[in-house]
């Protein structure tokens, strides 16, 4: 594997970095405090192709690969984890599911609008009572002539209220039966489909997380994605790629916290010298740099396998697991290096600290990643 970034990847990274500095950084704390989901920011990213990173040009996307996708999410997350999270969820989950499993008619209808951010995407798998236990979903879709009637609730959904279109996985068979779920595309404004409670979160506060409620929501069979019963299998494949995006998100948060701590340690003087001169701080920085590099390499490996079309299940789970745990540890150490200032909202590391925790939970907890990895190892 060649560890050097291509010119295209470097260009993508610089574009995302410039955008984050100009359009995101000035508003980070306002969006965080008010929990505002800045739709216009995503519309601007859509103009640059950042909302359709992996979508082929024929459908209005950028036609980039996973290396470009990694660095785009990373550069945005270095500035704001919330915007990085929503960027990842839109690209990997909703848009990614349609890209991977829709028929040609569906792709032509939805991908151009998603890739340009004319429409914001949501993806609904998790429910109030079924997180990791997705085989026991309560949200059902029942056939009624040429239509389907969806009933139930999804929660912890990124863009659950503001999304213009959602891919929703519903149970179409008996609970815990094999192949008992099917994926559907549901547009905002469809009768019986509404957004519910918006969550008041510890971190990632500018990324909307909300319920989606279905009450006899009628959709045509033309909105079904793939075959009946394939929904959960599709979701697992979508999550394989999605875990690369969460690893990239975690990396961005970790790098943002590390860079802030490194700079501060060289500027903050105690006992007539920068605190970076003290071993207690220097060793923290050494550990942070080493862990970030290891997480980066795991993520690059997953991107490489994905680009080659090889199985990425183990590699993406390892990358997601390690990078997310590193993000928490690094941001924690960054707060410590800042001392009392790190505990205030006048400095950036407290937000990296709050945002980092979500990475160990979303798109499969660290514990679920260990299950995935162990199963692959023991095959």
């Amino acid at each position: 594997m060649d560890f050097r970034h291509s010119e295209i990847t470097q260009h993508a990274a610089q574009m995302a970095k410039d955008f984050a500095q100009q359009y995101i950084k000035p508003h980070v704390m306002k969006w965080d405090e008010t929990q505002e989901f800045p739709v216009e920011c995503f519309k601007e990213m859509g103009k640059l192709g950042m909302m359709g990173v992996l979508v082929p040009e024929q459908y209005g996307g950028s036609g980039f690969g996973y290396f470009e996708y990694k660095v785009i999410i990373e550069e945005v997350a270095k500035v704001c984890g919330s915007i990085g999270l929503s960027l990842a969820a839109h690209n990997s989950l909703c848009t990614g599911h349609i890209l991977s499993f829709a028929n040609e008619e569906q792709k032509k209808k939805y991908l151009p609008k998603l890739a340009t951010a004319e429409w914001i995407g949501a993806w609904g798998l998790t429910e109030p009572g079924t997180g990791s236990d997705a085989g026991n979903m309560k949200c059902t879709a029942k056939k009624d002539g040429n239509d389907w009637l969806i009933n139930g609730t999804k929660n912890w959904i990124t863009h659950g209220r503001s999304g213009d279109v959602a891919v929703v996985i519903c149970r179409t068979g008996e609970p815990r039966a094999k192949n008992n779920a099917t994926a559907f595309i549901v547009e905002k404004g469809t009768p019986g489909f509404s957004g519910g409670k918006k969550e008041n979160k510890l971190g990632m506060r500018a990324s909307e997380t909300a319920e989606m409620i279905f009450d006899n929501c009628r959709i045509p069979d033309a909105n079904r994605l793939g075959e009946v019963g394939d929904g959960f299998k599709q979701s697992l494949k979508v999550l394989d790629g999605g875990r690369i995006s969460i690893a990239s998100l975690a990396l961005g948060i970790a790098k943002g916290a590390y860079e802030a701590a490194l700079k501060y340690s060289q500027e903050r003087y105690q006992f007539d010298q920068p605190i970076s001169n003290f071993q207690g701080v220097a060793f923290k920085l050494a550990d942070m740099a080493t862990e970030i590099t290891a997480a980066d390499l795991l993520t690059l490996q997953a991107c490489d396998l994905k680009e080659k079309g090889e199985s990425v299940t183990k590699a993406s789970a390892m990358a997601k697991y390690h990078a997310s745990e590193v993000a928490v540890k690094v941001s924690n150490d960054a707060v410590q290096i800042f001392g009392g200032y790190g505990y205030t909202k006048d400095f950036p590391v407290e937000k990296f600290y709050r945002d980092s925790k979500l990475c160990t939970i979303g798109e499969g907890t660290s514990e679920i990643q260990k299950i995935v990895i162990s199963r692959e190892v023991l095959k």
Side-chain angles (χ1 to χ4, degrees):
M1 179 181 164
D2 188 346
F3 296 106
R4 293 170 298 178
H5 281 322
S6 69
E7 281 190 31
I8 294 174
T9 306
Q10 290 176 40
H11 170 74
Q14 190 63 50
M15 173 189 68
K17 183 177 182 177
D18 292 344
F19 180 88
Q21 290 296 320
Q22 183 176 351
Y23 291 98
I24 300 174
K25 191 173 182 179
H27 311 291
V28 167
M29 291 314 297
K30 178 177 79 75
W31 291 341
D32 182 74
E33 293 284 351
T34 61
Q35 301 192 61
E36 177 186 349
F37 176 56
V39 174
E40 285 308 311
C41 176
F42 293 92
K43 301 288 186 185
E44 291 297 322
M45 284 195 280
K47 293 176 184 177
L48 294 174
M50 293 166 67
M51 297 293 275
V53 180
L54 301 168
V55 176
E57 292 180 34
Q58 70 188 89
Y59 301 116
S62 298
F64 284 148
Y66 268 82
F67 290 107
E68 290 75 40
Y69 185 37
K70 170 190 177 288
V71 296
I72 286 171
I73 293 175
E74 218 175 286
E75 291 297 337
V76 170
K78 278 185 187 179
V79 175
C80 181
S82 296
I83 306 304
L85 174 63
S86 279
L87 178 66
H90 173 92
N91 273 283
S92 280
L93 300 179
C94 179
T95 307
H97 199 135
I98 292 171
L99 180 62
S100 296
F101 298 105
N103 59 38
E104 192 60 25
E105 186 179 343
Q106 291 166 334
K107 287 179 181 179
K108 286 178 179 177
K109 181 177 180 181
Y110 292 106
L111 288 178
K113 291 182 178 181
L114 287 164
T116 57
E118 179 183 343
W119 281 7
I120 302 293
W123 191 75
L125 178 65
T126 307
E127 298 182 2
T130 57
S132 303
D133 183 17
N136 195 30
M137 287 187 292
K138 301 295 188 292
C139 185
T140 61
K142 295 186 178 178
K143 195 79 186 290
D144 184 37
N146 290 323
D147 297 336
W148 293 84
L149 282 176
I150 302 177
N151 282 285
T153 304
K154 297 289 182 180
N155 76 335
W156 306 112
I157 308 304
T158 305
H159 316 145
R161 287 167 69 168
S162 296
D164 299 287
V165 62
V167 172
V168 185
I169 295 86
C170 307
R171 183 164 57 78
T172 49
E174 294 301 313
R176 302 200 187 285
K178 192 174 182 182
N179 302 326
N180 72 342
T182 305
F184 300 92
I185 302 171
V186 186
E187 295 178 27
K188 189 175 186 177
T190 303
F193 173 35
S194 61
K197 176 191 173 188
K198 180 180 175 180
E199 302 296 342
N200 184 9
K201 307 191 300 289
L202 167 74
M204 301 292 196
R205 289 164 62 83
S207 177
E208 180 187 275
T209 305
E211 289 180 316
M212 293 194 301
I213 300 167
F214 301 89
D215 182 12
N216 283 325
C217 177
R218 182 180 293 274
I219 60 167
D221 188 57
N223 284 35
R224 172 171 49 83
L225 279 166
E227 298 300 319
V228 174
D230 281 354
F232 191 57
K233 286 190 287 189
Q234 292 175 6
S235 298
L236 290 177
K237 290 177 181 176
V238 168
L239 287 169
D240 273 351
R243 284 166 182 154
I244 294 175
S245 70
I246 298 299
S248 305
L249 174 68
L251 263 176
I253 292 170
K255 288 180 179 182
Y258 166 72
E259 289 171 10
L262 178 65
K263 183 173 183 286
Y264 180 81
S265 74
Q266 294 167 314
E267 295 172 348
R268 169 71 167 171
Y269 271 65
Q270 292 287 277
F271 305 102
D272 303 319
Q273 57 187 308
I275 62 172
S276 58
N277 282 1
F278 298 108
Q279 192 178 81
V281 173
F283 279 15
K284 268 188 171 57
L285 293 168
D287 284 340
M288 293 158 86
T290 302
E291 293 285 4
I292 287 171
T293 301
D296 209 342
L297 291 172
L298 281 170
T299 309
L300 286 168
Q301 180 191 44
C303 291
D304 186 53
L305 290 171
K306 188 74 175 173
E307 286 290 285
K308 291 175 179 174
E310 297 179 23
S311 174
V312 76
T313 302
K314 182 176 74 172
S316 65
M318 283 181 168
K320 194 271 188 190
Y321 167 53
H322 188 67
S324 63
E325 294 292 341
V326 165
V328 174
K329 184 178 185 302
V330 166
S331 57
N332 178 58
D333 284 345
V335 171
Q336 197 70 18
I337 288 171
F338 270 79
Y341 291 114
Y343 204 66
T344 71
K345 292 184 181 291
D346 295 328
F347 291 82
V349 289
E350 67 84 28
K351 184 177 183 296
F352 286 124
Y353 184 45
R354 288 186 289 110
D355 287 348
S356 67
K357 189 58 194 169
L358 185 275
C359 298
T360 70
I361 298 168
E363 293 194 37
T365 62
S366 289
E367 291 73 23
I368 288 294
Q369 304 314 311
K370 289 182 185 181
I371 290 173
V372 172
I373 295 163
S374 61
R375 283 176 179 167
E376 291 294 311
V377 167
L378 293 168
K379 271 183 179 178

